[in-house]
Amino acid sequence: MSLLKKNLEEQERLLDQELIRDEFYSLDSRFHELCMQAMGKGRLWQMIQHMDVHYSRYRYMDYELSDQEDIYPSLYHQHLDLYEALREQNPFVLKYLLTSHLYSGFLRIGTKLQAEYGHYFVKGTRSIGDILVNVKILIQDSWDELQEYKKKGLC
């Protein structure tokens, strides 16, 4: 956990600097790797890295298309929340936070993807709008599940 804490401190340090995209990207990647290792999912992280070209492209698009003043602080605060849930070993909160974090980029850039880069997507497949609806449902379902666990006193 000390490596995660150190990573978060480095992310926070970057928030006050200009032109941090590449540095933040590296720290963001390392944060995800450390989280996966902490959960015993190191091999899953390795599999994701083999698909890295698509994952990286999506993350860079998120960085570029999102409001530059908000993206890095938003990701940093999401990482802080994930760290706390990991530290507290709260799987119910962690599932919701992880779901929200991993899909938040789609919510930030989804409409811009369709409007500005729609020509890159194959016609006749699911639209960005349909994907966004599914993402919102997934996050809401995760939230509802967390609330049920809270009612039952499980977290």
Side-chain angles (χ1 to χ4, degrees):
M1 289 302 234
S2 63
L3 290 174
L4 277 170
K5 183 75 171 151
K6 183 178 179 200
N7 180 283
L8 287 168
E9 290 167 357
E10 291 177 37
Q11 288 181 38
E12 184 177 32
R13 179 185 53 79
L14 284 178
L15 295 180
D16 294 328
Q17 298 179 17
E18 299 276 329
L19 302 171
I20 66 170
R21 184 190 70 194
D22 292 336
E23 286 180 84
F24 196 90
Y25 180 87
S26 294
L27 288 171
D28 185 31
S29 293
R30 181 72 174 138
F31 180 84
H32 285 252
E33 178 183 9
L34 292 168
C35 284
M36 297 292 263
Q37 290 172 352
M39 295 183 293
K41 302 291 184 188
R43 291 200 29 96
L44 179 58
W45 179 253
Q46 289 174 355
M47 289 172 54
I48 291 170
Q49 292 310 293
H50 290 298
M51 302 181 318
D52 190 48
V53 87
H54 300 298
Y55 183 58
S56 294
R57 184 179 300 136
Y58 155 73
R59 288 174 55 212
Y60 270 115
M61 286 184 84
D62 184 13
Y63 287 5
E64 288 300 312
L65 295 177
S66 295
D67 181 347
Q68 294 299 300
E69 290 185 22
D70 293 336
I71 182 72
Y72 302 114
S74 175
L75 289 172
Y76 168 71
H77 288 289
Q78 289 174 18
H79 289 167
L80 278 177
D81 292 342
L82 285 163
Y83 172 76
E84 288 300 319
L86 271 170
R87 200 172 57 76
E88 294 169 4
Q89 298 182 357
N90 189 330
F92 307 112
V93 171
L94 186 59
K95 179 182 177 186
Y96 167 71
L97 292 173
L98 196 54
T99 301
S100 297
H101 177 65
L102 293 177
Y103 289 106
S104 63
F106 285 112
L107 299 177
R108 280 190 296 271
I109 66 172
T111 54
K112 287 184 181 181
L113 273 178
Q114 185 68 44
E116 297 175 28
Y117 300 96
H119 58 282
Y120 286 111
F121 297 93
V122 176
K123 303 284 186 226
T125 60
R126 285 187 348 167
S127 71
I128 298 293
D130 290 343
I131 293 170
L132 288 174
V133 167
N134 290 341
V135 165
K136 289 176 184 177
I137 290 170
L138 183 66
I139 292 172
Q140 184 63 50
D141 287 349
S142 182
W143 173 255
D144 293 344
E145 184 179 21
L146 175 60
Q147 298 313 304
E148 285 299 314
Y149 286 125
K150 285 183 176 181
K151 284 180 190 174
K152 294 176 183 176
L154 297 172
C155 62

